[in-house]
Amino acid sequence: MSSLLQRLPAPPAAKKQAAPSHEVRTLIDDLIAEQKTLQTPIARYSDYHDREPDLAPHYRTLIPLSKPGEGEQYAFEVSLDRCTGCKACVSACHSLNGLDDDEAWRDVGMIHGGRKTPGWQQTITTACHHCEDPGCMNGCPVGAYEKDPDTGIVRHLDDQCIGCSYCILKCPFDVPKYSKKRGIVRKCDMCHQRLAEGEAPACVQACPTEAIRIVKVAVSKEPKAESSKKESISTIPAPRFLPGAPDPSITRPTTRYVGRDVPESAVAADRENLVPEHAHWPLVLMLMLTQAGVGLLAGGLGNTAATLAAAGLFFAGMGASVLHLGQPLKAWRFFLGLRTSWLSREILAFSMFAPIPIVVAALPFLPDFPFKDLITVAATRSVLPIGLIAVFTSVMIYHDTHRASWRFSITAARFFGTVATFGTLGLLLAKPSAWSMLFFAAAVIAKMIPELRIIRLADDRNAEWSTDLHTARLQRGPLNTSLDGRFLIAFTAIAVALVNPWAALPLLLISELFERQLFFQSVYAPKMPGSFGPKRHH
């Protein structure tokens, strides 16, 4: 082969053209020449590291060297024009803090310009915003959070946590993360131990483009709830935070995004992903069964079988609630959050209601004794008021998360609607009549009307994005089987009740189980632009 190639004739030499006497350089020529001298951020960082092996003095330029003064706190500052989305910050945070394989305290996502500026995009690195009015701390029922009075850093106290995950629902930025291995929630603490020694946090030190630094920012001296007693909080203008991120007025995050103007129309790149949220099955069972128990007990008074069934449903729901806790043996400390946490108030309210089903169910089997009639009257008359108060605290738990899909009108209609449907079924069991059957059918249908109004939005293909539209498309898409089952079984329960009301009870329970599953899985959960997969809740 080599001898054959040697015998082949050489190609004709190209004729040289005379160079022009005056070379004309264009903008393209200049850009190509400049490109030959450019280095990637990693290459520049490597060169700098080679020249200066001890980078400690350099890293100290990225953090304040003195504690915040009065009316100040530490905060992250992110230079958008420097962030390349390399995720070095994520890796460093994970390594330094010894996180689980599926655990991350810092995320990198993307926002784009939306319909008005479709060609605009930007990578976003986010961690805990160490808010002025932290929702996680206010919602925790056991005081497992604290905000350092000197630095403003919001810390999670791992040894106090019961793993209820309510802080995850309360945080509009999806910052706290549940550790299934430990049964508790954990979060970013700005590497406060390193800051105390004059060292930069892991994410700050690892970023090759110095896109993250720690700064001191001015904060309000008063909590949001006390900042104005005469003016509604909703009328106070929200500070500019980051277009495409959740509403900053909820918790007042302190992170500063600088270096590049973000269009007001910018949205998270994963906003329209139809990924169902976590079902939270213990909460599904707890809410559905306790509300069914309250309703059936109130409507079925006088019917021993209905009373016993109601007590059984209620305590089955209370038992299911324990399964949602990663550290249930610490739940006795719930009273620590009574001042700020609706979860603490729910635990107290249901604890006050719990003796009532026992007393009402046991009285018919007890012999006469002094004050039996008085106890009977007191127990039966307290079922509805105390039961409704307990259900109200459940409504407020989800309304207080500021998720539009769980706003008060929707959540109250669902929760009190469950009480009403089982209450009318209890009435049908205790006092069968055409009227009680009519009340039962009307209650079941009335409860489904708001749900039907939401899913109708999915039919409008040209509708502007909204949280309700997102919920509707989830229910008509990935969750359509549960949606069909919910309505089909509900109407079947009405038909069966005409023949045998007791046979309608399990059908109604299954229908409400589907409804509560949809309540959790089809909610639009606000979060910072991050990963495109489902959120990792337990």
Side-chain angles (χ1 to χ4, degrees), residues 109-129:
M110 180 179 292
I111 58 177
H112 59 72
R115 293 184 179 181
K116 294 184 179 179
T117 52
W120 190 95
Q121 68 178 29
Q122 173 65 52
T123 55
I124 302 291
T125 175
T126 63
C128 179
H129 299 301

Side-chain angles (χ1 to χ4, degrees), residues 175-348:
V175 166
K177 300 295 191 297
Y178 182 77
S179 172
K180 188 174 182 179
K181 178 180 178 181
R182 297 165 179 80
I184 61 172
V185 170
R186 304 198 296 175
K187 62 174 282 295
C188 158
D189 60 4
M190 203 182 279
C191 294
H192 67 280
Q193 304 98 327
R194 294 172 65 88
L195 280 174
E197 299 298 326
E199 296 185 23
C203 57
V204 173
Q205 186 164 322
C207 181
T209 60
E210 301 176 10
I212 311 172
R213 64 175 62 230
I214 306 298
V215 296
K216 292 186 286 188
V217 297
V219 295
S220 172
K221 295 181 180 180
E222 296 180 342
K224 181 177 69 173
E226 301 176 1
S227 61
S228 177
K229 296 183 179 180
K230 297 182 180 179
E231 184 180 17
S232 173
I233 294 299
S234 61
T235 63
I236 299 176
R240 179 178 172 83
F241 176 51
L242 180 72
D247 182 3
S249 67
I250 299 174
T251 60
R252 302 206 302 262
T254 61
T255 301
R256 300 295 188 258
Y257 289 94
V258 300
R260 189 182 185 192
D261 291 333
V262 180
E264 289 292 341
S265 61
V267 297
D270 58 344
R271 184 183 69 172
E272 299 188 28
N273 281 14
L274 296 180
V275 180
E277 291 294 310
H278 197 286
H280 294 287
W281 286 109
L283 292 182
V284 167
L285 292 171
M286 177 264 175
L287 291 170
M288 187 269 292
L289 291 174
T290 54
Q291 291 157 20
V294 170
L296 194 62
L297 186 64
L301 287 173
N303 185 298
T304 303
T307 301
L308 291 172
L313 291 175
F314 177 81
F315 285 106
M318 293 292 286
S321 67
V322 178
L323 300 177
H324 190 66
L325 302 179
Q327 300 286 339
L329 295 180
K330 298 180 181 179
W332 62 271
R333 302 173 61 252
F334 75 90
F335 62 88
L336 295 175
L338 285 172
R339 189 173 63 87
T340 60
S341 175
W342 279 103
L343 181 55
S344 290
R345 296 163 188 168
E346 182 196 47
I347 297 173
L348 177 63

